[in-house]
Amino acid sequence: MQLHGRDDDIKLLRRKLQELTEEKDGDEEDAVKNHVGEMILVSGTSGTGKSALIQKGLGDPAANRGYIFASGKFEDKPLRPLSAFSDAMTCLAKCIKVENNKKGGLSSGGSSITAMIRDKIQKEFDKEDVEQLRRVLPGCAEILGTRRTSLFCSPSQSQPHKPAFCRGGSGSRLGRLSLNLLGGKESISRLHFAVRRLLKIWSDTATLDLMKSIALDGEIPSLLIVGAYREDEVPDHHPLAFHIRELEEMNMSITKIKIGNLGVDYVIPLVAEALGMDDDDSKVKSLAETIHRKTEGNPFFILMFLRSLYDEKLLKYNFGVMKWTWDEDAVNSMIVTENVASVLVNKMNRLQEETQRILMVASCLGATFRLSAVMMVMKHISRVEMRDSMRASMISVSGTAATMGSSSASLLSSDLSNACTDQDGSDSSYASSIEEFEGEGLCEVDNEECRFMHDQIQSAAFELISPEQRDSFRGRIGRILLRTLPPEELETSLFEVVDLLNCAASNATDEERDELARMNLKAGIKASENAAFDTAKVYFKTGRDALGSRGWEGDYRTMLDLCSHGANACFVVGDFDSMNELIDEVLSKDIDTKEKYRVSDIKVNSLHNIGKYNESVNAALDFRRQLGLPTLQKKPASKFTVIREFIRVKRLLKNKTAEDIANLPRLDDERYEMGQRMNDHLAHCIHQIEPTMFPLIIFQMVTTSLKHGLSSSSSPAFARLGMLLCGPFGKPHEGREMAKAAELILEKPGMRSSAIRTVFITQSFCYHWTSPLQDTIAPLLEGYQIGLEIGDTSSACWCLVCRIHYLCCVGRSLDCIQKELEASIRVMTLLKHDDVKLNTITLLATVKKLRGIDAEAGDKILDSMLASAASNGDSVLSATVNYMKLEVFVSYQEWKEAVDLVRKAGNVRLFLSGFFASVRYTFVEALTYLKAAQSASGWKKRQMKKCALQTIQLIRGWAKNGNVNVVHYLFILDAELAVLDGKNKKAKESFNAAITTSSRNGFLHDRALAHELAGAYFKAQGDDYWGNYHIEYSKRCYQEWGCNRKVEQLM
């Protein structure tokens, strides 16, 4: 049947499919390299035919071309996060298996497609990852080697989770694992089987995060993501609206199609086609106009109205004239409510009672269900109990409802089916009740699996249940499944069972409430493990409510777990008020200190994330004391103390290699492990409060690891030791060895949780001392993605802002950097990481000032940041702002202001220690001293030169130790020092070397600076030719960098 009034939309969809085809026909490697994610979003109100449009525009032609059209639908009753993605991936896996059966092995006799995918996944990911993929995508388990099923739905919906901890945003382990099934270039595309992936998905928040990750991944060629949603259910503050805006800001190509109700000119041919009559027939036009008036042109309502006319015997097939006939007056008098469910309920009222019972149970199990689940429930509920649960007006008389008997009637039923589902009907036959609801177009049956043809039909089936009995009826179903399902199937269907049980919580006995609390705890933990923290938060609260005031006395262990896990879920979703209430509740109880660890850990972390560093440090130190562990005093540490403790650590290390350290035994003392975690928090925030304590904390962590064994905190501990060795201690090669040890520790089982912190430390503080700064940029981006994956969003955001800062330091386009910073600020606002956000805002203000955008506003922002840092005692933020301000002063050669800032700022390097910003600050500080000396005389000139030489000596030492990122700095400083000393030949040679080196190493902005300084030198020497030459090249470099204000200054 045609989709009337959708011709332009169908053409647009098919054009997108054609573009996908042309992409595949091109070079495969180029397709991957140049691939830009694309998404189509179809919106409209319920019943406008969104799914039918996608099927007609993409599904049918994709199938005709031999491509895969994988689809899935989000379900919220019962709640199944990631159900849409799981369903689509199952469809894809089935297609891969079909292709595998067709092809067998490769033409050369190699492995099958299934085997290739399985081998690739097992090589790239550890067993934990693969098992997680099996749990989340059970419909793909056969490809992975195992199979799991659920009684509620197809395998695609039996484990709807998103793996790993995540706090919104993008990037996930499931996304990377799924790339192998989606056809990374090494799995399917190279086989040239012309496999395509088109995912038609409307989803929950977890799916939105995952799909964003996949959409933005450039390694999946020939991928088109199509989403359908109800526009009236997605306001501007809805997560989907947020994700759409975010994708658009990331230059994701999004095509939006909005469909509405049909005009009367399209309703006429629709009705005519459904009845098999001519659309020029005046009676057809009159009927269509009446239907349009009563349904407002909603396609689903139109077909439901036609079916109801037939059911009410107002529409009859006249075999004498071989056409449909109707009484216009009777049709006009028929009342149509705004809720199509009422029409459907009336239709269901005419079904057999057994059919109604099946529909009642099925409506509680979801849009997709398995017949065996329905039958299992019905065996345990008596007919009397079922009757008691039905609406009094819905109890139908015995007998069989009328069904259409003619071919034309079948056509009408088929039309309804096409309007309500994305898939064709099944020829399977079952018992009379199954045949009835399938024949009536209410459900699609495929062997054991059933699907309601439209969510309005499921709602109407649910309406069969008496409103007073709905909660108890669903609770009854949940208890039956809880008792009868085997353990493995219960685990698979945990969310559905718990949701059903929760419906009847208010009428549960104390014993049932205890069990309900434990079940909600299980469901919440499972949701948390798969990043559905918003869902987990609800489960944990429901569990606490089930126990009530008697929880701590009756089942304190369950209550403790509900509060602890609940506090973590609240923290992740940003509900700090609820988090603090739960933390305070646990801490107020007279229980063992170790049992308070989880909430204490959350408290310390949350205080740090909102910038309350003093409170965070105090809480961490206090908990270590409660554990009875050696704890540092919160006070400045002397150099003697730092050196003494360093010598002790060196003795413990002896001559251990990175491999020796990584092979140390596992820490098995719970107290020490908790203490290590608290020290890990301290190391992260003590820099802002008392940086001299930082080395002592690291030494304590390393000592514990060497004496008592490795924990998940050992990796960042050795990474930070590497940071100290590379930076303040001036031993970068020894520092790299410690960084290597940290990375080797990560390969040990159970160390994944510290991966992001380790990546951030090694890439931000260690490797740039001996490797090109550009080499850290890609790992930092990967660190950001891993951080979102495992839930360490704080470190993830630090990776993000550090990456962008390093992009600035290597001279990446300021325009691109500004866009990245603006997008990053939105991410940090969403994740509520104010500490990182402040640093990012500082960098953004600096970039805008360099570009000549809102310079006065930028000054106000930087000044307010300094004031904020002073009030909060945030020395790192203060140092960062002063460094940024100095960078601007030097860029515009405002030397007087630069000198004043250097004098007032204090020891900026101390608070930026190890970070490349400390290196960059040292360079601009030395340049400031030299320029000040050049314009001074007498003792002031000697003083400025002395300060410059001391600072330059630091840079010479770094270069001597292999820091390739400071070589051009030295040439610039040597040139200016030669200018100061009147050594013209040395000055010219050094300027040329600075220009050549900065150009060769890719430091565009430093090349611009070197040209500018050289131009000023030659002009001062009276050599206008070379002076103008260098100024012109300086302007070109600044122009390319995007520093427009500087170009204007040089005009």
Side-chain angles (χ1 to χ4, degrees):
M1 186 176 181
Q2 295 183 38
L3 288 183
H4 298 277
R6 311 296 190 211
D7 292 347
D8 292 342
D9 298 327
I10 291 174
K11 288 179 182 178
L12 174 58
L13 291 173
R14 292 185 175 177
R15 185 170 72 247
K16 292 296 180 181
L17 182 64
Q18 180 62 35
E19 292 172 1
L20 201 67
T21 305
E22 293 170 356
E23 181 180 320
K24 173 65 174 71
D25 292 340
D27 183 81
E28 192 72 32
E29 295 294 331
D30 288 342
V32 175
K33 181 178 179 181
N34 301 319
H35 172 71
V36 178
E38 185 162 4
M39 180 179 289
I40 299 175
L41 294 175
V42 180
S43 64
T45 56
S46 176
T48 50
K50 301 178 290 296
S51 297
L53 172 63
I54 295 172
Q55 180 66 41
K56 194 79 171 180
L58 290 175
D60 294 342
N64 293 335
R65 298 186 186 198
Y67 304 158
I68 293 176
F69 181 83
S71 65
K73 182 177 180 180
F74 166 64
E75 283 196 57
D76 61 349
K77 293 179 181 179
L79 178 63
R80 287 200 277 260
L82 276 181
S83 58
F85 182 76
S86 179
D87 195 14
M89 292 300 291
T90 296
C91 179
L92 176 62
K94 288 180 179 178
C95 293
I96 291 174
K97 287 185 283 186
V98 169
E99 187 70 23
N100 182 66
N101 293 335
K102 287 180 181 178
K103 300 288 183 178
L106 299 175
S107 57
S108 60
S111 301
S112 66
I113 305 174
T114 302
M116 288 183 65
I117 295 175
R118 183 186 299 119
D119 292 344
K120 187 171 187 291
I121 289 175
Q122 291 178 351
K123 286 179 181 178
E124 292 189 11
F125 303 96
D126 58 30
K127 293 181 180 179
E128 180 184 349
D129 287 328
V130 177
E131 180 58 29
Q132 183 77 331
L133 184 59
R134 289 188 182 120
R135 291 195 299 267
V136 176
L137 305 175
C140 304
E142 188 170 333
I143 288 181
L144 300 172
T146 62
R147 177 183 290 278
R148 292 188 183 186
T149 59
S150 167
L151 288 177
F152 284 86
C153 54
S154 65
S156 63
Q157 291 136 335
S158 60
Q159 277 286 354
H161 309 312
K162 177 182 178 182
F165 297 96
C166 180
R167 193 175 173 182
S170 57
S172 74
R173 180 166 47 184
L174 176 58
R176 298 206 310 276
L177 286 165
S178 301
L179 299 187
N180 295 275
L181 289 175
L182 283 172
K185 60 181 181 179
E186 297 179 7
S187 56
I188 294 179
S189 298
R190 283 187 178 176
L191 302 179
H192 304 295
F193 289 148
V195 178
R196 284 295 191 275
R197 281 71 57 180
L198 297 99
L199 308 180
K200 193 275 296 178
I201 293 175
W202 161 231
S203 53
D204 54 301
T205 304
T207 303
L208 292 174
D209 289 334
L210 177 58
M211 293 314 299
K212 182 174 68 176
S213 300
I214 293 174
L216 294 174
D217 194 296
E219 297 183 4
I220 314 175
S222 307
L223 173 69
L224 180 62
I225 299 175
V226 187
Y229 66 94
R230 296 179 181 175
E231 60 182 357
D232 54 331
E233 297 179 4
V234 182
D236 288 341
H237 60 273
H238 192 278
L240 175 62
F242 175 83
H243 278 75
I244 292 173
R245 290 193 295 270
E246 189 176 45
L247 287 170
E248 288 175 331
E249 289 160 358
M250 294 179 176
N251 298 320
M252 176 81 176
S253 175
I254 300 179
T255 301
K256 297 178 182 179
I257 299 176
K258 181 177 180 179
I259 62 175
N261 291 338
L262 299 176
V264 67
D265 291 340
Y266 292 113
V267 174
I268 293 172
L270 170 60
V271 172
E273 184 180 3
L275 298 177
M277 299 175 69
D278 192 341
D279 57 10
D280 289 332
D281 190 314
S282 60
K283 291 197 67 176
V284 171
K285 287 184 177 180
S286 177
L287 176 63
E289 289 169 355
T290 300
I291 293 176
H292 179 267
R293 186 171 63 255
K294 291 180 175 290
T295 63
E296 298 183 350
N298 184 285
F300 181 73
F301 278 37
I302 291 170
L303 295 173
M304 285 293 97
F305 186 75
L306 282 171
R307 288 298 298 263
S308 66
L309 289 178
Y310 175 81
D311 293 336
E312 297 288 343
K313 302 189 183 304
L314 298 178
L315 178 65
K316 301 178 181 179
Y317 192 77
N318 189 325
F319 285 94
V321 295
M322 299 298 289
K323 63 171 57 176
W324 291 93
T325 60
W326 57 90
D327 184 331
E328 289 191 20
D329 292 336
V331 171
N332 278 317
S333 64
M334 186 173 179
I335 298 175
V336 177
T337 65
E338 293 182 358
N339 185 0
V340 73
S342 299
V343 177
L344 289 169
V345 168
N346 291 332
K347 177 183 181 62
M348 291 180 184
N349 190 37
R350 292 185 290 270
L351 301 174
Q352 300 178 76
E353 183 176 344
E354 187 71 11
T355 305
Q356 293 182 35
R357 293 174 63 204
I358 291 176
L359 290 172
M360 287 170 58
V361 174
S363 69
C364 297
L365 300 183
T368 307
F369 56 93
R370 295 174 72 86
L371 288 173
S372 56
V374 177
M375 298 308 146
M376 177 184 294
V377 171
M378 294 184 68
K379 287 179 182 178
H380 292 81
I381 300 182
S382 67
R383 187 176 297 270
V384 173
E385 191 175 357
M386 289 291 291
R387 276 179 168 266
D388 290 342
S389 299
M390 294 180 72
R391 279 179 180 265
S393 59
M394 299 300 169
I395 302 177
S396 63
V397 296
S398 300
T400 307
T403 55
M404 291 186 174
S406 67
S407 58
S408 297
S410 297
L411 173 61
L412 186 58
S413 177
S414 175
D415 296 340
L416 174 60
S417 174
N418 288 336
C420 301
T421 184
D422 296 329
Q423 303 181 22
D424 295 328
S426 170
D427 295 330
S428 303
S429 61
Y430 298 92
S432 61
S433 57
I434 305 298
E435 292 176 354
E436 183 178 23
F437 66 61
E438 184 180 20
E440 290 292 326
L442 301 176
C443 293
E444 177 189 36
V445 181
D446 182 10
N447 294 323
E448 172 69 3
E449 298 175 10
C450 296
R451 182 189 298 272
F452 284 105
M453 300 291 274
H454 197 278
D455 52 6
Q456 293 278 12
I457 296 176
Q458 182 188 359
S459 298
F462 188 69
E463 288 291 323
L464 292 171
I465 308 170
S466 170
E468 296 78 14
Q469 298 293 325
R470 284 173 188 167
D471 287 343
S472 60
F473 185 72
R474 286 184 288 181
R476 178 88 169 93
I477 294 174
R479 288 192 295 274
I480 291 171
L481 295 171
L482 181 61
R483 291 198 308 268
T484 58
L485 286 179
E488 183 178 349
E489 292 179 0
L490 179 60
E491 172 63 22
T492 299
S493 307
L494 182 62
F495 290 144
E496 295 90 334
V497 173
V498 174
D499 286 341
L500 290 168
L501 291 171
N502 286 339
C503 292
S506 60
N507 297 321
T509 65
D510 285 349
E511 184 179 350
E512 289 172 339
R513 284 177 172 274
D514 291 343
E515 184 176 44
L516 186 63
R518 291 190 290 271
M519 294 300 294
N520 274 279
L521 176 61
K522 287 182 180 180
I525 292 174
K526 189 172 184 178
S528 295
E529 288 173 347
N530 295 285
F533 289 105
D534 48 356
T535 304
K537 174 187 166 185
V538 175
Y539 282 127
F540 293 134
K541 185 179 186 305
T542 304
R544 296 194 304 273
D545 291 343
L547 290 178
S549 59
R550 61 187 182 83
W552 288 104
E553 291 74 23
D555 189 355
Y556 105 92
R557 171 54 61 186
T558 300
M559 193 66 171
L560 173 64
D561 289 340
L562 285 166
C563 289
S564 300
H565 287 290
N568 182 66
C570 291
F571 167 65
V572 174
V573 301
D575 184 0
F576 293 129
D577 290 338
S578 298
M579 176 200 72
N580 288 325
E581 288 178 7
L582 293 171
I583 290 174
D584 292 342
E585 182 174 353
V586 175
L587 295 180
S588 67
K589 300 301 176 183
D590 185 17
I591 56 179
D592 188 87
T593 299
K594 290 186 288 186
E595 293 181 325
K596 298 179 181 180
Y597 163 70
R598 279 183 291 182
V599 294
S600 298
D601 183 69
I602 297 165
K603 180 179 181 179
V604 171
N605 199 19
S606 64
L607 287 170
H608 174 266
N609 284 344
I610 60 176
K612 294 185 177 181
Y613 304 119
N614 265 309
E615 292 91 332
S616 179
V617 168
N618 291 337
L621 292 173
D622 183 59
F623 189 77
R624 278 188 60 91
R625 293 188 190 99
Q626 292 179 41
L627 289 171
L629 297 175
T631 304
L632 297 170
Q633 294 294 318
K634 184 182 167 186
K635 62 180 184 179
S638 66
K639 289 184 179 180
F640 172 78
T641 302
V642 172
I643 294 172
R644 182 192 66 200
E645 296 303 316
F646 176 62
I647 293 173
R648 289 177 177 175
V649 169
K650 289 284 287 184
R651 288 174 180 170
L652 285 174
L653 281 169
K654 295 181 181 177
N655 294 317
K656 286 184 175 66
T657 64
E659 290 76 10
D660 294 333
I661 294 171
N663 289 325
L664 289 170
R666 182 67 188 258
L667 177 63
D668 57 5
D669 189 315
E670 192 176 24
R671 283 190 318 121
Y672 277 105
E673 189 163 2
M674 294 176 179
Q676 285 283 74
R677 175 62 178 163
M678 288 299 158
N679 266 344
D680 197 10
H681 285 307
L682 286 169
H684 194 44
C685 61
I686 198 66
H687 235 325
Q688 283 90 343
I689 305 301
E690 185 48 69
T692 60
M693 288 182 64
F694 179 76
L696 300 184
I697 293 170
I698 303 308
F699 298 154
Q700 191 174 64
M701 293 183 72
V702 170
T703 299
T704 301
S705 297
L706 293 171
K707 287 184 175 181
H708 301 281
L710 301 176
S711 68
S712 60
S713 300
S714 297
S715 179
F718 282 98
R720 289 185 177 110
L721 179 59
M723 165 187 166
L724 291 173
L725 289 168
C726 288
F729 287 57
K731 300 178 181 295
H733 297 290
E734 292 183 22
R736 283 187 70 96
E737 186 70 9
M738 293 300 101
K740 180 182 176 183
E743 293 174 343
L744 290 175
I745 293 172
L746 285 180
E747 298 176 6
K748 302 296 180 179
M751 302 296 180
R752 178 184 296 276
S753 62
S754 61
I756 174 59
R757 296 194 301 284
T758 302
V759 168
F760 171 63
I761 297 164
T762 57
Q763 298 298 333
S764 301
F765 298 98
C766 297
Y767 290 138
H768 69 79
W769 293 100
T770 53
S771 299
L773 187 61
Q774 291 89 335
D775 291 351
T776 67
I777 292 170
L780 284 169
L781 179 59
E782 183 179 359
Y784 166 68
Q785 295 168 337
I786 296 173
L788 295 182
E789 170 192 324
I790 65 176
D792 188 354
T793 54
S794 175
S795 296
C797 289
W798 279 114
C799 278
L800 188 61
V801 69
C802 180
R803 171 183 174 272
I804 299 174
H805 178 254
Y806 283 6
L807 286 173
C808 285
C809 290
V810 299
R812 195 66 57 88
S813 166
L814 291 177
D815 177 52
C816 294
I817 290 172
Q818 180 177 333
K819 291 177 180 178
E820 285 207 35
L821 285 168
E822 290 169 344
S824 299
I825 288 172
R826 286 188 289 272
V827 171
M828 293 163 194
T829 301
L830 175 67
L831 299 179
K832 294 182 170 59
H833 285 303
D834 295 339
D835 55 337
V836 197
K837 181 180 173 181
L838 289 176
N839 282 270
T840 310
I841 292 173
T842 301
L843 183 54
L844 177 61
T846 304
V847 169
K848 284 186 173 182
K849 281 177 65 65
L850 290 171
R851 298 190 67 201
I853 301 174
D854 296 332
E856 291 185 6
D859 288 333
K860 292 179 180 178
I861 290 173
L862 294 178
D863 289 340
S864 68
M865 290 294 174
L866 277 178
S868 174
S871 63
N872 294 329
D874 189 345
S875 302
V876 173
L877 178 60
S878 178
T880 301
V881 174
N882 282 318
Y883 155 55
M884 293 294 175
K885 294 184 75 169
L886 182 61
E887 186 77 65
V888 174
F889 288 148
V890 170
S891 293
Y892 291 105
Q893 302 202 10
E894 297 170 351
W895 301 114
K896 182 180 182 302
E897 292 83 352
V899 171
D900 292 340
L901 187 147
V902 168
R903 288 174 172 174
K904 295 177 182 177
N907 192 352
V908 171
R909 270 191 302 277
L910 173 64
F911 296 99
L912 299 178
S913 180
F915 194 49
F916 188 77
S918 66
V919 177
R920 179 74 185 179
Y921 178 84
T922 303
F923 163 63
V924 292
E925 180 189 31
L927 186 58
T928 298
Y929 283 135
L930 286 172
K931 299 303 287 188
Q934 290 172 13
S935 61
S937 61
W939 69 269
K940 186 175 182 180
K941 178 177 183 178
R942 292 192 297 273
Q943 182 187 33
M944 291 293 102
K945 182 178 180 181
K946 180 180 178 182
C947 291
L949 290 174
Q950 290 175 344
T951 311
I952 293 172
Q953 192 60 32
L954 289 174
I955 301 177
R956 290 195 194 282
W958 297 335
K960 185 177 180 180
N961 282 322
N963 193 329
V964 297
N965 302 298
V966 301
V967 175
H968 65 288
Y969 290 170
L970 270 181
F971 283 129
I972 292 174
L973 295 173
D974 283 345
E976 289 298 327
L977 183 61
V979 171
L980 178 63
D981 292 338
K983 299 178 180 179
N984 293 329
K985 182 179 179 182
K986 174 69 172 176
K988 294 176 182 179
E989 291 175 350
S990 295
F991 276 128
N992 287 333
I995 293 167
T996 301
T997 306
S998 58
S999 176
R1000 182 174 62 243
N1001 293 341
F1003 292 88
L1004 177 64
H1005 61 317
D1006 290 331
R1007 180 187 175 190
L1009 176 64
H1011 274 299
E1012 182 185 7
L1013 294 174
Y1017 164 73
F1018 280 109
K1019 280 184 172 290
Q1021 294 293 313
D1023 191 340
D1024 288 341
Y1025 174 81
W1026 285 110
N1028 291 332
Y1029 169 86
H1030 284 291
I1031 293 297
E1032 182 60 31
Y1033 269 94
S1034 176
K1035 288 191 292 185
R1036 291 182 187 180
C1037 292
Y1038 279 126
Q1039 184 74 48
E1040 184 179 349
W1041 187 36
C1043 191
N1044 301 327
R1045 181 184 166 194
K1046 186 65 183 179
V1047 176
E1048 294 174 1
Q1049 187 187 60
L1050 292 174
M1051 289 297 187

